[in-house]
Amino acid sequence: MSINTLLVTPPFTQLNTAYPATAYIKGFLESKDVKATQMDLSIELFTAVFTKEFIEAIFKQAEMLGNSDFPLVDKQKEEYINKVDSVMDYLRVQEVTAAYQMVHKDFLPHGHRRVKLNKDLTTEFGKLGILDKAKHIATLFVEELGDYINANVDEFFSFTRYAEQLGRSASSFDTINEFLQYETTLIEDEMLYLLEEKLQQDNYDLVCFTVPFPGNLFSALRCAQFIKQKYPTIKIGMGGGYCNTELRRLSDPRIFDFIDFITLDDGEGPLLKITEFLDGKIKEDGLERTFICKNNKVIYADKIPNTIFHHKNLPAPSYLGLPTNKYLSFLDVMNPMHRMWSDGKWNKLTISHGCYWKQCSFCDVTLDYIGNYQNTTADDLVSKIEKIISETGITGFHFVDEAAPPKMLRALANKLLERKVYITWWTNIRFEKTFTPELCALLSKSGCIAVTGGLEVASDRLLAKMKKGVDIGQVARVTKAFSDENIMVHAYLMFGFPTETAQETIDSLEVVRQLFQNNCIQSAFWHMFACTSHSPVGKNPDEFKINITGPEFKGFAENDLYHEDPTGAEHHLYSQGLNTALNNYLNYKGFDFPLHKYFDFKTPKTTQHSGLIKEFLKA
């Protein structure tokens, strides 16, 4: 016999495009003659919730529970119930005749998000086209319902995650276990109904859940719990980004009341071994990179040497069976790069496995998904691209690399042009000097419309401490080369790196201001430094002059570490001011506003002179 496998993406991940994990695994398993079906339970549940019948049930449930947060929504509930189907249809296909209806001032209800919009959208949005205006108003409508559900019916509900707070701080399994004993919510009942519908279509031997983020963990366990109760013969596996980063020291056996196998790192090898084990072809000791439970003790089964499936020998991901027509385009914020993440359909594909640089001290460089760098050929990539287009009908590609190598991008661009394959694409890069104006022009010609990259901190001292391998001058020249070819540049910015002073934070803000002003970058996002257990900082805190203060590991998850930074600034104080300034620069305003006025406490004057970036660009 051959093992029949169902691969599931549990709620909630991205709603505008398929999360690629199951597509990769399906493509691989089928190349090994293992039957694999995939289900995006995330989009299936979301589209089932936002329907006339279900929203009506939500309002009834809230009334029954006596909850009435967001009274503006309550007051107009008939409008929400009657118009939710039209709104969802519009978000699936932005059709211009429907757009005229959406933007009519009285068509959609004015809930707590909509009323904040200026009466005239143009002040908020500049000269947005009608399709976008309609998309924004439709997005606000769905978000208002989402807020209402979260406040009145299911505290775990959120657009792109579910019960994330439980997965995020789970050094112990106690809280998750406790919540799994509670009654299911209305949303969970619908999720289990959809899962059961799928399970009844075929006889599955193995159901595997990909858990890329903390916000997928609880829903995956709820599904697993249901399968154990109703289909006790089906075996259950779990893998993905969350497991790979957070469950590496797993010792608490209680999760195995729900799951039979938990795999680490790339799923292809371990999963193939699990199917061979269930098929009786190998014994338990033949499993690779897989946690199992025996006599109430967690065992890590890892036959060495591992079977290696090199990146260049893997088949194309298979998107067959994913409901391309159900994904939705949202327009919630006007940050042009965030829009790429939530708007439009993108096929996701990896150019290279891991990171060719793998030195940054804040990054999980000790883990396989970063540290194990593998390449393939441009020909192989373009063939995969053609296969994916034939399955999805989508010509937009997001190359999901940790950092796409310039050499590979050049080869890929040339091959796309040579084979006359026309796609639109974007990816993540390092701002390194190999990206010359000539290379940027070539990438643009091949369909590149945007790049994202870590500038992190605009201080050469800290960039060296981070081992970024770039300096501010280089970042300025590279970003400008992309921008000059109409390729949008988004910079990841970090504040609060160990030992960072108030002076360096303000100087960073000044450099960011000048990068926007000189049209080097068009989009950016600040996030506060987080110390993880797999990064060089987390492994050698003394070297970075910080003290790790917790959390105590209690047998389940381990990733984010609490830390004190005695020599650095009071980092958290800067968050609000940095983001307010950034929001101005994104909208091409506030360049002349004094930096210190963004903060409600005393900050040092910048030591960067106002022509710094201009000088770098001339050099």
Side-chain angles (χ1 to χ4, degrees):
M1 74 177 232
S2 170
I3 297 301
N4 191 6
T5 309
L6 175 64
L7 308 165
V8 181
T9 303
F12 285 111
T13 52
Q14 270 183 289
L15 300 167
N16 62 311
T17 204
Y19 191 78
T22 59
Y24 270 93
I25 298 293
K26 176 177 162 71
F28 170 78
L29 288 178
E30 287 180 339
S31 75
K32 301 291 176 195
D33 298 322
V34 177
K35 189 176 172 195
T37 308
Q38 60 188 333
M39 178 189 199
D40 186 347
L41 188 51
S42 176
I43 194 66
E44 298 291 358
L45 177 60
F46 196 86
T47 49
V49 167
F50 287 90
T51 55
K52 184 178 178 176
E53 294 73 26
F54 200 90
I55 293 302
E56 199 166 358
I58 289 281
F59 282 113
K60 279 193 184 128
Q61 173 102 350
E63 196 180 338
M64 208 174 72
L65 295 167
N67 295 339
S68 57
D69 277 4
F70 298 110
L72 262 183
V73 175
D74 240 342
K75 208 167 95 189
Q76 306 171 79
K77 66 181 175 198
E78 291 306 320
E79 287 284 276
Y80 284 97
I81 291 166
N82 291 324
K83 291 183 176 162
V84 65
D85 289 335
S86 305
V87 167
M88 290 289 278
D89 284 342
Y90 181 74
L91 290 171
R92 279 187 205 103
V93 182
Q94 283 84 59
E95 215 277 309
V96 73
T97 46
Y100 282 104
Q101 189 178 39
M102 294 288 150
V103 299
H104 187 284
K105 68 182 192 318
D106 298 325
F107 179 64
L108 292 181
H110 290 235
H112 53 282
R113 286 178 184 253
R114 176 78 185 271
V115 292
K116 287 189 189 145
L117 262 192
N118 285 340
K119 287 198 172 50
D120 177 14
L121 267 177
T122 49
T123 50
E124 170 103 358
F125 282 97
K127 298 282 179 274
L128 261 195
I130 181 154
L131 292 175
D132 279 351
K133 268 185 205 171
K135 194 186 297 186
H136 183 63
I137 292 169
T139 301
L140 294 179
F141 173 97
V142 178
E143 285 178 334
E144 285 165 353
L145 280 173
D147 296 337
Y148 185 87
I149 295 169
N150 174 275
N152 298 309
V153 175
D154 186 341
E155 61 179 314
F156 286 162
F157 182 81
S158 165
F159 255 35
T160 51
R161 54 190 75 91
Y162 189 80
E164 184 183 53
Q165 60 275 41
L166 296 185
R168 201 164 258 307
S169 50
S171 65
S172 155
F173 194 61
D174 290 352
T175 314
I176 294 173
N177 209 34
E178 183 190 331
F179 275 94
L180 284 166
Q181 310 316 315
Y182 291 175
E183 260 186 47
T184 49
T185 65
L186 204 57
I187 305 274
E188 289 167 355
D189 289 339
E190 183 66 19
M191 168 178 81
L192 299 176
Y193 170 75
L194 293 166
L195 177 65
E196 180 153 45
E197 258 192 340
K198 189 73 175 176
L199 291 173
Q200 288 181 346
Q201 287 169 14
D202 207 341
N203 290 320
Y204 294 107
D205 308 293
L206 174 65
V207 176
C208 295
F209 293 95
T210 178
V211 180
F213 310 111
N216 304 97
L217 177 68
F218 190 77
S219 54
L221 291 174
R222 259 295 188 228
C223 291
Q225 178 186 44
F226 171 80
I227 296 170
K228 284 275 172 236
Q229 286 161 355
K230 289 205 69 174
Y231 299 87
T233 58
I234 293 178
K235 294 293 181 194
I236 302 172
M238 184 169 100
Y242 179 83
C243 308
N244 300 344
T245 47
E246 311 228 359
L247 301 187
R248 302 192 81 85
R249 281 175 64 193
L250 181 65
S251 60
D252 188 330
R254 288 176 296 173
I255 191 169
F256 290 96
D257 295 343
F258 312 93
I259 308 280
D260 300 294
F261 308 98
I262 296 175
T263 69
L264 295 187
D265 302 327
D266 291 347
E268 287 89 353
L271 221 87
L272 185 61
K273 292 293 174 194
I274 290 169
T275 64
E276 289 173 356
F277 166 64
L278 295 177
D279 212 356
K281 292 176 183 163
I282 61 167
K283 295 233 173 358
E284 217 168 54
D285 59 10
L287 293 171
E288 297 180 4
R289 300 199 302 279
T290 301
F291 285 113
I292 50 174
C293 189
K294 288 187 80 168
N295 309 323
N296 209 30
K297 220 172 131 52
V298 178
I299 289 166
Y300 186 53
D302 188 23
K303 185 171 186 279
I304 303 289
N306 278 185
T307 320
I308 299 299
F309 297 97
H310 195 283
H311 182 62
K312 67 173 181 288
N313 302 327
L314 290 176
S318 168
Y319 284 86
L320 291 175
L322 293 177
T324 310
N325 57 339
K326 286 190 180 176
Y327 295 99
L328 306 135
S329 282
F330 294 102
L331 182 52
D332 51 350
V333 287
M334 284 315 294
N335 178 316
M337 196 65 222
H338 286 173
R339 182 170 178 175
M340 291 262 191
W341 281 304
S342 61
D343 188 6
K345 294 174 179 165
W346 303 97
N347 299 310
K348 293 180 185 276
L349 185 64
T350 318
I351 294 174
S352 303
H353 181 289
C355 175
Y356 65 96
W357 176 251
K358 53 183 178 210
Q359 291 185 45
C360 299
S361 52
F362 54 81
C363 186
D364 292 346
V365 292
T366 56
L367 297 187
D368 183 86
Y369 81 99
I370 306 271
N372 179 10
Y373 176 63
Q374 298 173 1
N375 232 325
T376 183
T377 66
D379 249 331
D380 172 50
L381 277 172
V382 176
S383 297
K384 285 177 178 167
I385 286 168
E386 288 182 316
K387 176 178 182 280
I388 292 169
I389 293 171
S390 74
E391 287 181 358
T392 63
I394 296 165
T395 55
F397 279 80
H398 173 197
F399 298 123
V400 290
D401 290 51
E402 296 305 317
K407 235 164 62 186
M408 274 308 300
L409 287 177
R410 178 185 290 279
L412 174 64
N414 280 322
K415 195 55 71 177
L416 286 167
L417 293 166
E418 178 194 317
R419 284 172 56 173
K420 296 187 172 44
V421 176
Y422 304 116
I423 63 169
T424 307
W425 62 271
W426 56 287
T427 191
N428 193 43
I429 59 160
R430 294 182 64 249
F431 295 129
E432 53 167 282
K433 55 182 180 289
T434 328
F435 288 109
T436 58
E438 174 267 331
L439 177 54
C440 293
L442 173 70
L443 299 182
S444 171
K445 201 175 166 189
S446 75
C448 177
I449 55 161
V451 291
T452 61
L455 165 60
E456 315 309 352
V457 56
S459 143
D460 283 341
R461 175 187 84 87
L462 289 174
L463 285 171
K465 209 170 171 56
M466 288 178 176
K467 298 200 171 158
K468 277 297 291 183
V470 299
D471 57 51
I472 299 168
Q474 184 176 315
V475 168
R477 289 185 288 273
V478 169
T479 51
K480 188 73 171 127
F482 277 109
S483 299
D484 285 348
E485 291 298 333
N486 281 329
I487 295 172
M488 179 174 57
V489 181
H490 172 87
Y492 295 109
L493 305 168
M494 185 189 288
F495 67 103
F497 190 76
T499 73
E500 182 174 345
T501 61
Q503 185 68 62
E504 285 169 321
T505 304
I506 296 300
D507 285 349
S508 280
L509 179 57
E510 170 59 19
V511 169
V512 169
R513 183 189 75 79
Q514 291 186 33
L515 286 169
F516 271 101
Q517 199 174 21
N518 288 282
N519 193 33
C520 294
I521 60 178
Q522 296 75 42
S523 171
F525 183 73
W526 289 105
H527 61 274
M528 189 153 152
F529 167 77
C531 184
T532 67
S533 54
H534 309 296
S535 67
V537 178
K539 291 200 175 300
N540 311 295
D542 295 351
E543 197 186 311
F544 293 87
K545 299 187 180 161
I546 58 167
N547 310 315
I548 303 293
T549 57
E552 185 194 340
F553 176 64
K554 294 181 180 164
F556 189 61
E558 175 189 51
N559 190 34
D560 287 4
L561 303 172
Y562 313 144
H563 72 282
E564 289 167 349
D565 181 8
T567 61
E570 291 277 338
H571 303 304
H572 61 277
L573 299 177
Y574 290 84
S575 177
Q576 179 85 49
L578 290 173
N579 283 306
T580 307
L582 184 61
N583 203 35
N584 271 341
Y585 305 155
L586 277 168
N587 292 302
Y588 302 102
K589 58 186 191 197
F591 291 126
D592 299 329
F593 192 69
L595 298 187
H596 68 87
K597 288 196 173 165
Y598 284 116
F599 302 91
D600 54 9
F601 54 93
K602 201 166 165 34
T603 58
K605 276 199 166 81
T606 180
T607 59
Q608 307 282 22
H609 72 87
S610 59
L612 180 75
I613 296 299
K614 270 202 175 95
E615 275 178 21
F616 283 136
L617 293 176
K618 274 188 195 143

